[in-house]
Amino acid sequence: MAQSAVQANAVSIRIACQAFGISQTCYRYQAKLSSENSEIADWLIRLTANQRNCGFGLCFLYLRNVKGYGWNHKRVYRIYRELELNLRIKPRKRLIREKPEPLAEPTAINQVWSMDFMHDQLSDGRSIRLFNVIDDFNREGLDIEVDFSLPSERVIRSLERIMEWRGRPDKIRCDNGPEYVSAALTVWASRRGIQVSFIQPGKPQQNAYIERYNRTVRYDWLAHYLFDSIGEVQEYATRWLWTYNHEPPQHGHRRHYAETETGPGRIASTLRPLQKWGDYHLD
């Protein structure tokens, strides 16, 4: 309005600024587009293309904590909105629930491990299983075992392999699956001096750490690709697990990361999500 008054009425800039209550610096200010804006936009597009469930918060934390950029969050969010990358927030149904029992939080590594199974299918329709193990203290992924069948013997073998480099846990939390309640696993745990803690049937929230981890596995990569073989799934799982443990974008896990030299991450890799796992390529 001050500029229009100066141009139309031929008044001085000083008088126009006084009339509209602005400074002359504000009057003469011209917005300058920074060359970094295109770089920010490129990073946001790449991150959301690789991780379709990655919202603004994780994108910003990844750029700040993993890549070390010092961009202001308001600036990044403005570009994020201009690119129309916002995720649709599904409204939650409010259910009346009983007050759950508090989940015990470990204070050191190897106090409590959690393990659980996941199910998926290959491109030809064959069912596969994934055996996941994490440390509840820092949410570090310890192993992802993939096969068509994973009986209790395979579970024991996977745990033994982890213990060779990680050490023995005091307790392992799991559900009441047949592989866990088997006599073989019970005898093995007794010989190793490990307590097997079973959750109550129908209450997966008592094993919330591994359930949250399973969601990350599925939405970060398992649901994004079609795999043709067990070997392809195992190869991707191994690569993703390294990135998950060594590139953590969250501020909350930095303490655990510094103390244990490992920590969780959410940005999987530079793979472009295509229809087939065999069609991927690196940037």
Side-chain angles (χ1 to χ4, degrees):
M1 295 175 65
Q3 292 178 349
S4 300
V6 171
Q7 296 174 0
N9 302 323
V11 299
S12 66
I13 297 177
R14 181 178 61 84
I15 296 176
C17 291
Q18 290 179 351
F20 290 98
I22 62 174
S23 65
Q24 296 187 33
T25 302
C26 179
Y27 176 87
R28 293 186 173 90
Y29 174 78
Q30 294 182 353
K32 298 179 180 179
L33 295 178
S34 173
S35 59
E36 292 182 344
N37 288 355
S38 59
E39 184 180 1
I40 297 174
D42 180 66
W43 266 112
L44 291 175
I45 292 174
R46 290 172 59 189
L47 292 175
T48 53
N50 290 334
Q51 301 295 323
R52 298 177 183 176
N53 64 311
C54 188
F56 166 75
L58 287 177
C59 290
F60 177 74
L61 290 176
Y62 180 78
L63 295 176
R64 174 66 63 88
N65 296 340
V66 178
K67 293 302 180 180
Y69 292 111
W71 297 319
N72 185 277
H73 69 280
K74 292 179 288 186
R75 178 184 184 185
V76 177
Y77 185 66
R78 175 175 54 81
I79 298 175
Y80 181 85
R81 290 289 301 271
E82 291 175 354
L83 294 174
E84 297 182 353
L85 299 176
N86 304 64
L87 291 175
R88 175 183 175 269
I89 300 177
K90 184 178 180 180
R92 295 183 178 181
K93 296 181 179 179
R94 297 188 177 274
L95 303 177
I96 301 177
R97 299 177 178 177
E98 298 179 358
K99 185 178 180 180
E101 297 181 3
L103 185 63
E105 184 176 355
T107 58
I109 63 173
N110 289 345
Q111 283 189 354
V112 182
W113 292 1
S114 293
M115 58 184 181
D116 197 16
F117 284 102
M118 296 180 63
H119 300 267
D120 205 78
Q121 288 184 338
L122 297 178
S123 58
D124 57 6
R126 289 182 294 174
S127 297
I128 60 174
R129 306 185 76 190
L130 286 80
F131 175 62
N132 299 329
V133 184
I134 67 169
D135 190 316
D136 288 358
F137 171 67
N138 59 352
R139 321 297 192 268
E140 178 184 359
L142 303 180
D143 190 29
I144 300 179
E145 186 83 10
V146 185
D147 210 332
F148 295 111
S149 177
L150 293 169
S152 58
E153 290 77 10
R154 288 288 300 277
V155 171
I156 295 174
R157 189 169 66 186
S158 298
L159 295 174
E160 287 281 3
R161 185 171 62 249
I162 300 172
M163 291 166 57
E164 289 179 358
W165 61 270
R166 179 74 174 187
R168 180 183 61 85
D170 298 332
K171 180 193 295 186
I172 298 180
R173 182 186 292 115
C174 58
D175 56 26
N176 296 269
E179 298 84 3
Y180 304 141
V181 299
S182 66
L185 184 63
T186 303
V187 172
W188 172 83
S190 177
R191 290 177 179 176
R192 281 288 195 170
I194 301 173
Q195 177 187 355
V196 180
S197 177
F198 298 101
I199 65 174
Q200 293 178 306
K203 294 189 176 181
Q205 65 271 18
Q206 295 180 357
N207 205 8
Y209 294 132
I210 192 69
E211 294 292 343
R212 181 61 181 83
Y213 175 81
N214 290 346
R215 181 186 183 278
T216 302
V217 170
R218 185 168 300 280
Y219 287 101
D220 268 13
W221 63 275
L222 187 60
H224 291 186
Y225 301 95
L226 289 175
F227 298 93
D228 294 327
S229 66
I230 290 292
E232 291 181 355
V233 184
Q234 186 67 70
E235 178 185 355
Y236 194 100
T238 303
R239 295 177 57 189
W240 177 88
L241 188 61
W242 186 95
T243 307
Y244 175 87
N245 287 330
H246 292 83
E247 292 188 358
Q250 299 99 323
H251 284 290
H253 292 116
R254 279 292 173 179
R255 175 178 62 86
H256 301 323
Y257 184 86
E259 293 176 356
T260 63
E261 298 183 356
T262 55
R266 300 288 293 280
I267 309 300
S269 64
T270 55
L271 293 175
R272 296 178 181 173
L274 301 175
Q275 183 181 10
K276 302 281 285 187
W277 152 251
D279 297 334
Y280 78 90
H281 57 88
L282 295 172
D283 290 337

